[in-house]
Amino acid sequence: MNIDQREMRQVAEAAAPRIDMYAGIHKALRALMADSLLALGRMDVDDALELAQVTQRVLELLDFCRSHLQHENEFVHTAMEARAPGASGQIAHEHAEHTEAITVLANQTTALLQCDAEARAAGALALYRALSLFIAHNFEHMHVEETAHNAVLWARYTDAELIEIHNALVASIPPHEMMFIVRWMVPFMNPAERTAMLGDMQAHAPAPALAAALDVVRPHLSEREWAKLSASLHLPAATGLVQG
């Protein structure tokens, strides 16, 4: 991976914050991964409904991880390679490994759902351990992207160019997947990040799209968090929200 350490230092010393395409989506991924792992660890394997629900959540996580890899490969890595050939090589290799691991985990999850009752406890423990290792590696992987990859991008692209790349990536995401992202991203952002994301949607997306996003987000925010968000977006009191 061709990462210039001088660029890394320059990024760390930069006075003004730069456009970070990784920050929000990685908060969503960390939250979803942690939530899925905790659900799997506490699952009652003798409860058929709970078993079905939790394994479905794990499969949804894996599907989302697979889609995320594709988005990064197509948009972020393409941008990096255009101006810094070889810079995405190591992480691209890890993406290939992650894709293989996702297939193995998905098969293991399906097998757990279908196995005999006496084998479920052992199968659930094995899946829990395998998923925890996958998540641990992903946490390290995301740190490299947020530091080394951002150093490459920030040294070679203006913020305006990075916004164009990000907008193209977002435009490629189907509506149902975007709502899934919103559900896991916005609640785990800080207030300023929530306002920035939903404020941009408020300014550029159709009103029904913003309303749908707020409906998805609201159950996962505390009353105080919701009040801050409502005020920052100047949402009308007539909807039961705080007047700005």
Side-chain angles (χ1 to χ4, degrees):
M1 180 165 53
N2 300 331
I3 302 297
D4 189 330
Q5 293 304 311
R6 291 172 298 177
E7 293 175 357
M8 292 282 285
R9 288 193 296 272
Q10 290 170 359
V11 168
E13 295 167 359
R18 297 293 309 277
I19 297 297
D20 187 345
M21 292 189 287
Y22 291 110
I25 192 63
H26 281 184
K27 283 192 174 184
L29 275 167
R30 289 183 176 105
L32 177 58
M33 287 176 172
D35 185 80
S36 301
L37 184 64
L38 292 174
L40 183 60
R42 69 195 300 180
M43 177 179 66
D44 180 357
V45 295
D46 295 320
D47 184 324
L49 177 59
E50 187 172 339
L51 178 66
Q53 291 173 333
V54 173
T55 52
Q56 181 59 35
R57 287 169 65 178
V58 173
L59 291 173
E60 286 178 347
L61 164 66
L62 297 174
D63 284 343
F64 184 58
C65 288
R66 186 182 293 108
S67 179
H68 174 68
L69 294 176
Q70 293 171 350
H71 295 322
E72 285 192 343
N73 289 343
E74 183 176 354
F75 292 94
V76 184
H77 288 190
T78 297
M80 291 175 66
E81 293 300 318
R83 297 187 185 179
S88 69
Q90 178 58 41
I91 290 297
H93 175 70
E94 290 185 8
H95 277 192
E97 293 179 339
H98 288 179
T99 299
E100 294 176 1
I102 287 168
T103 299
V104 171
L105 285 167
N107 290 339
Q108 193 172 353
T109 304
T110 302
L112 172 61
L113 184 60
Q114 299 173 345
C115 74
D116 295 334
E118 60 271 16
R120 286 179 192 159
L125 180 59
L127 177 60
Y128 176 80
R129 288 172 173 165
L131 184 62
S132 68
L133 289 176
F134 174 74
I135 291 171
H137 190 267
N138 269 269
F139 276 29
E140 294 180 337
H141 174 94
M142 287 187 281
H143 176 75
V144 173
E145 292 177 327
E146 292 166 358
T147 54
H149 278 204
N150 267 335
V152 172
L153 292 166
W154 292 343
R156 292 165 177 82
Y157 286 89
T158 66
D159 280 349
E161 289 174 319
L162 293 175
I163 289 172
E164 286 185 6
I165 295 167
H166 180 260
N167 287 347
L169 189 161
V170 170
S172 74
I173 300 174
H176 71 278
E177 183 179 344
M178 182 54 65
M179 285 298 102
F180 187 80
I181 291 171
V182 167
R183 182 264 177 268
W184 285 103
M185 183 186 293
V186 176
F188 299 100
M189 287 176 154
N190 62 46
E193 291 168 336
R194 290 186 198 117
T195 298
M197 178 177 175
L198 294 176
D200 182 72
M201 181 178 290
Q202 189 177 48
H204 299 104
L210 176 64
L214 291 172
D215 285 344
V216 167
V217 167
R218 185 170 188 175
H220 307 289
L221 297 179
S222 69
E223 288 300 317
R224 186 170 179 80
E225 289 170 331
W226 180 252
K228 291 177 182 179
L229 179 61
S230 300
S232 69
L233 297 177
H234 306 289
L235 297 174
T239 63
L241 311 180
V242 175
Q243 180 71 47

